[in-house]
Amino acid sequence: VRARFPDGLELHAAGLRAWDADLDLAILELESSPERLTVLPLSDTTDRPVASLVLAIGHPQGLRQSTTPGIISAVHTTADLPPQFRERIYAADDAVWLQTNAAVTGGS
C-alpha cells in the first residue's frame, strides 16, 4: 500500500492501524516521514467541546485531495445512539462518537 501526496510523492505504508471497509476509511502508518511533510497537529487533550473546529480530508468519489471544514455539533456515546445505528457499528457502549456538520462522503 502506498500513500500519494498532492506533490506526487509516494510513500509505502508500514502497516494498517485501523479500517472500516463499509465506511471507506483506513488509517495507515507510513514507513518514513520526509522532511517536507508537514504533519497535521492533533489535539493533546481528549476534550471534545461542541463547536470545536474539525476537518474532513479525503478523496470522495475520486475527487482527489478534498477537504471540508466543520464543527463538532454534538458528542455521543454508543449507548446514546438510536438502535438502528448501534446495531450496525458493533462498538462498546462507552465508545465516543463526534457528530459534525463537515460534509463527509464516501472517501473522506
Side-chain angles (χ1 to χ4, degrees):
V1 174
R2 295 181 313 242
R4 182 178 300 137
F5 295 85
D7 65 358
L9 174 67
E10 289 191 11
L11 297 174
H12 289 278
L16 183 61
R17 291 295 186 154
W19 74 94
D20 186 319
D22 291 335
L23 296 176
D24 192 19
L25 174 68
I27 299 173
L28 304 175
E29 177 182 351
L30 299 177
E31 282 184 341
S32 62
S33 178
E35 288 182 26
R36 69 181 193 239
L37 181 68
T38 302
V39 177
L40 180 66
L42 300 177
S43 175
D44 59 357
T45 179
T46 58
D47 291 337
R48 302 164 194 94
V50 171
S52 295
L53 298 176
V54 293
L55 184 65
I57 304 169
H59 306 288
Q61 309 301 315
L63 299 170
R64 296 178 184 255
Q65 308 300 333
S66 297
T67 60
T68 184
I71 62 166
I72 295 176
S73 304
V75 179
H76 307 282
T77 64
T78 302
D80 297 331
L81 299 176
Q84 66 268 27
F85 295 125
R86 288 195 314 264
E87 293 168 2
R88 293 198 63 215
I89 58 176
Y90 309 107
D93 283 347
D94 62 349
V96 176
W97 299 90
L98 305 178
Q99 181 180 341
T100 177
N101 69 348
V104 177
T105 61
S108 293

